[in-house]
């Protein structure tokens, strides 16, 4: 008990500067004349949000940004294919996961740069300059992403989720809701990624089969074929300039 008093005293002293910083904020929020969180309706029916609500909306959007970056862009296909390549070569730990994620992010930014540029020019920049409201900016920003996702989504997958949701007949792409397009896009991306990974896996599988057959013919039953085939697979991957081929194939698969 004797040692606890100095500890509590020091803890209270350390909290005093924080309380001093919070007091003005609490006082402003308690002032009924200061609109911290309010919505103003204009004469034409448009609604104007205070800075507090706008900051809250932006912070909420930032919390959903990682999920949007993974699910609404080319990131899913790229990371799956690169992981399959690493497994096919026979080195599950090289390159590391951080390197694969970095490669996927940079290639995603390269592929999605036309979409990001259009969103910034048509939606983000006019909103920052207060030329359009937030709701209109959001609707404009959805259009480039929707166009990109529709170009990569199979009609079969889109029809599957439309049937599950009982969405009815849609005449053109403008009638496809975002809630229906997102799962169809992710499903198509997973299928495409595994198709590309299967084609990449075949040459390395042939090397493993040849090495295993040679070792069995020579009677070396106790020697692991993976140890012998690994240098040959690395040599093949280097000779054909494998990384440039994989990255180029991934990038070009989105522009067909």
């Amino acid at each position: 008990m004797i040692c606890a008093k100095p500890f509590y005293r020091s803890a209270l002293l350390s909290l005093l500067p924080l309380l001093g910083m919070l007091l003005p904020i609490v006082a402003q929020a308690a002032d009924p004349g200061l609109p911290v969180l309010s919505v103003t309706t204009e004469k034409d029916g448009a609604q104007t949000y205070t800075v507090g609500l706008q900051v809250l909306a932006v912070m909420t959007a930032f919390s959903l940004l990682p999920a949007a970056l993974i699910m609404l862009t080319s990131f899913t296909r790229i990371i799956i294919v690169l992981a399959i390549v690493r497994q096919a070569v026979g080195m599950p730990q090289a390159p590391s996961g951080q390197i694969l994620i970095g490669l996927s992010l940079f290639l995603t930014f390269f592929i999605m740069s036309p979409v990001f540029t259009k969103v910034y020019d048509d939606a983000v920049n006019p909103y920052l300059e207060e030329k359009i409201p937030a709701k209109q900016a959001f609707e404009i920003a959805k259009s480039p992403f929707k166009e990109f996702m529709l170009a990569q989504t199979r009609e079969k997958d889109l029809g599957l989720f439309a049937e599950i949701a009982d969405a009815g007949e849609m005449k053109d792409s403008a009638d496809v809701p975002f809630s229906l397009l997102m799962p169809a896009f992710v499903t198509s991306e997973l299928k495409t990624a595994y198709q590309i990974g299967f084609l990449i896996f075949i040459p390395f599988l042939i090397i493993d089969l040849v090495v295993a057959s040679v070792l069995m013919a020579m009677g070396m039953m106790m020697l692991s074929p993976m140890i012998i085939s690994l240098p040959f697979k690395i040599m093949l991957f280097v000779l054909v300039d494998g990384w440039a081929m994989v990255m180029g194939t991934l990038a070009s698969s989105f522009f067909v």
Side-chain angles (χ1 to χ4, degrees):
M1 296 299 293
I2 297 177
C3 298
K5 292 182 179 179
F7 172 77
Y8 291 136
R9 188 182 298 112
S10 61
L12 290 174
L13 291 175
S14 63
L15 289 175
L16 286 177
L18 180 60
L19 293 175
M21 295 173 60
L22 292 176
L23 282 177
I25 301 176
V26 174
Q28 289 180 359
D31 187 2
L34 183 64
V36 179
L37 298 175
S38 64
V39 180
T40 304
T41 304
E42 304 293 340
K43 294 181 179 180
D44 57 353
Q47 291 181 335
T48 303
Y49 301 91
T50 58
V51 177
L53 282 178
Q54 294 182 17
V55 171
L56 180 62
V58 170
M59 296 304 295
T60 304
F62 280 159
S63 65
L64 299 176
L65 188 61
L69 181 62
I70 294 174
M71 295 288 101
L72 305 183
T73 64
S74 57
F75 182 86
T76 302
R77 184 189 304 186
I78 296 170
I79 190 64
I80 291 176
V81 171
L82 292 182
I84 292 176
V85 169
R86 182 176 65 176
Q87 189 69 30
V89 174
M91 296 184 296
Q93 303 300 326
S96 62
Q98 291 85 348
I99 294 176
L100 289 187
I101 292 175
L103 286 173
S104 302
L105 283 176
F106 283 121
L107 190 57
T108 298
F109 291 143
F110 170 75
I111 294 170
M112 301 295 296
S113 58
V115 177
F116 292 155
T117 302
K118 190 173 182 180
V119 168
Y120 180 80
D121 293 340
D122 297 344
V124 178
N125 195 35
Y127 171 72
L128 294 177
E129 295 178 355
E130 299 183 354
K131 294 181 180 179
I132 57 176
K135 185 176 181 180
Q136 184 180 355
F138 180 73
E139 294 296 328
I140 296 175
K142 286 198 309 183
S143 180
F145 281 98
K146 190 174 182 180
E147 182 180 352
F148 169 80
M149 293 166 67
L150 282 171
Q152 311 301 325
T153 305
R154 293 177 173 84
E155 294 184 2
K156 181 180 178 181
D157 297 329
L158 197 60
L160 171 65
F161 287 97
E163 182 181 355
I164 294 174
D166 196 13
E169 185 179 356
M170 291 169 286
K171 296 181 180 180
D172 54 9
S173 59
D175 297 334
V176 180
F178 226 81
S179 59
L180 186 65
L181 179 60
M182 285 189 290
F185 171 74
V186 174
T187 304
S188 295
E189 286 295 285
L190 290 174
K191 184 176 181 179
T192 304
Y194 277 97
Q195 287 177 344
I196 298 175
F198 171 76
L199 295 177
I200 293 174
F201 216 107
I202 291 176
F204 301 103
L205 180 61
I206 293 175
I207 293 177
D208 287 333
L209 291 175
V210 171
V211 171
S213 300
V214 171
L215 291 178
M216 186 175 295
M218 296 176 64
M220 299 180 179
M221 303 295 183
M222 303 301 295
L223 184 60
S224 174
M226 297 295 296
I227 299 176
I228 306 301
S229 63
L230 181 59
F232 291 100
K233 290 192 287 187
I234 295 175
M235 182 181 65
L236 173 65
F237 198 66
V238 171
L239 289 177
V240 300
D241 200 4
W243 284 115
M245 185 181 298
V246 171
M247 303 291 275
T249 301
L250 283 171
S252 60
S253 65
F254 289 94
F255 294 100
V256 176

